[in-house]
Amino acid sequence: MNIGRGNLTSLINGNEIAQNLRNELKEEIDDLKIKTGKVPGLAVVQVGNVAASSVYVKAKTKSAKEVGIDVFDHHLPEETTEEELLKIVNTLNNQDKVNGILVQLPLPKNINEQLVLDSIHPEKDADGFHPLNVGKLSIASHNDENLLIPCTPYGCLIMLKSLGVDLSGKNAVVIGRSNIVGKPMAQLLLKESCTVTIAHSRTKNIDEVCKKADIVIAAVGRPKMVKGDWIKKEAVVIDVGINRIKSEVEGEIKNKLVGDVDFDEASKNASAITPVPGGVGPMTIACLLRNTTIAFKNKNQ
Ligand code: GUN
């Protein structure tokens, strides 16, 4: 996809784009406070202590507070039962000051995740995971402005749009078919009139499928799975993966974050690519704040 930089590869800076979105949201929330006397409220529910979840929840809470959202923290023990969690969600559904509810995934094995997501009031669904919101996203006639859209794929779309190129008619390959990223990403790209392919673990000749793509979105959770020669010259690459691997640096074994794409190799072919970290991660959080603000406005305007 020609993004007008000749042979130079652009780094898509998620930190910067997310900061711009957060600045806009902060201004909007300040205005809403003047107009309504209230600010959006977000309930953040974490069950147990999965290390990655704790990192994400902390970052989400901090960012929400920074833009002026009230955060109601519910950190529950690992032994919490499904019934107890459903009861808490029900309480939050009925609290006026709570506009958005986020239940951090994954949940412990004894809890049916879908049952919990289904129990969140669709108008307070800060993640956009409720079946009603999933359905609205798939019906292209709904107005985007009011929709609660899954945060990671929406963040990817904003990054693609930041390149200023027409997405219509482009071949987009989404690698991964999760409910959180792959499927909603495909819906969003379809809405932009891309020709969309969802590739996954059973896809035959996945490298060949990928090589036809103008846009590659990798969301599989496998470190550096997407090789440099899977990427067509000038393609745009969005790497959703956040994988912790051990890596040797100057004789020492260190933890390192890598994406689903072999960044160094893919950069040689891509016209634009997201780094890991500093790519999709901050966008997911900014879009959560956006959804919470939309939920507030849907109720108060
Ligand atoms: N776990 C991994 N990504 C997400 C996300 O976007 N939302 C929630 N609630 N849990 C997650």
Side-chain angles (χ1 to χ4, degrees):
M1 200 155 79
N2 188 343
I3 63 161
R5 294 205 55 200
N7 287 328
L8 292 175
T9 304
S10 280
L11 203 59
I12 307 174
N13 188 336
N15 282 325
E16 195 177 295
I17 302 169
Q19 181 66 58
N20 290 340
L21 180 52
R22 291 198 304 270
N23 291 347
E24 283 170 25
L25 287 169
K26 183 163 185 343
E27 266 184 41
E28 191 174 11
I29 291 168
D30 287 347
D31 273 355
L32 288 167
K33 190 173 180 180
I34 292 166
K35 284 194 193 122
T36 67
K38 294 186 279 192
V39 295
L42 173 67
V44 179
V45 183
Q46 183 187 356
V47 185
N49 294 297
V50 172
S53 291
S54 298
V55 173
Y56 296 138
V57 161
K58 200 170 153 199
K60 288 171 183 179
T61 303
K62 181 169 174 274
S63 286
K65 287 181 181 167
E66 277 170 8
V67 297
I69 291 174
D70 271 348
V71 179
F72 308 100
D73 205 3
H74 294 265
H75 193 176
L76 312 172
E78 177 79 26
E79 312 72 58
T80 304
T81 64
E82 187 176 280
E83 198 185 345
E84 284 166 336
L85 181 56
L86 289 171
K87 216 168 152 189
I88 288 168
V89 171
N90 186 48
T91 304
L92 298 171
N93 279 340
N94 290 303
Q95 282 178 350
D96 269 353
K97 61 189 180 181
V98 172
N99 301 104
I101 302 170
L102 162 102
V103 178
Q104 185 66 28
L105 304 178
L107 290 169
K109 297 257 175 306
N110 60 310
I111 298 178
N112 179 335
E113 248 171 39
Q114 194 59 51
L115 196 68
V116 174
L117 296 178
D118 291 1
S119 76
I120 295 172
H121 194 293
E123 288 168 13
K124 295 192 176 189
D125 176 25
D127 266 313
F129 293 162
H130 189 281
L132 189 76
N133 291 319
V134 173
K136 281 184 177 175
L137 178 61
S138 81
I139 299 171
S141 63
H142 280 87
N143 176 5
D144 276 2
E145 297 295 305
N146 303 323
L147 280 187
L148 300 175
I149 299 173
C151 306
T152 300
Y154 196 69
C156 294
L157 182 67
I158 295 176
M159 288 198 285
L160 282 175
K161 287 192 169 175
S162 77
L163 298 171
V165 292
D166 187 11
L167 299 177
S168 174
K170 297 292 187 300
N171 284 330
V173 171
V174 179
I175 313 176
R177 53 175 155 177
S178 69
N179 291 334
I180 295 183
V181 187
K183 285 187 225 166
M185 187 75 246
Q187 293 289 2
L188 286 169
L189 291 166
L190 193 57
K191 276 181 102 161
E192 297 297 323
S193 302
C194 290
T195 303
V196 184
T197 304
I198 304 183
H200 48 78
S201 54
R202 301 290 174 89
T203 299
K204 301 224 181 348
N205 304 324
I206 195 164
D207 53 338
E208 295 299 327
V209 172
C210 217
K211 269 181 218 174
K212 295 198 173 74
D214 303 306
I215 298 164
V216 176
I217 314 272
V220 269
R222 292 180 60 186
K224 299 189 184 186
M225 184 186 109
V226 177
K227 305 299 174 205
D229 64 359
W230 295 21
I231 305 300
K232 185 169 87 169
K233 269 263 171 255
E234 304 263 294
V236 173
V237 179
I238 307 281
D239 190 350
V240 179
I242 302 179
N243 308 291
R244 287 166 179 80
I245 62 162
K246 304 261 180 229
S247 164
E248 195 181 320
V249 183
E250 293 165 1
E252 255 187 86
I253 302 293
K254 295 212 164 153
N255 283 321
K256 192 180 170 202
L257 281 187
V258 296
D260 292 345
V261 177
D262 185 330
F263 180 87
D264 293 339
E265 292 300 314
S267 298
K268 292 178 187 159
N269 287 333
S271 59
I273 186 166
T274 60
V276 177
V280 176
M283 293 304 298
T284 298
I285 299 179
C287 289
L288 170 74
L289 313 180
R290 177 182 176 272
N291 273 349
T292 306
T293 309
I294 289 174
F296 175 87
K297 287 192 293 182
N298 287 346
K299 185 176 164 217
N300 290 286
Q301 285 185 340

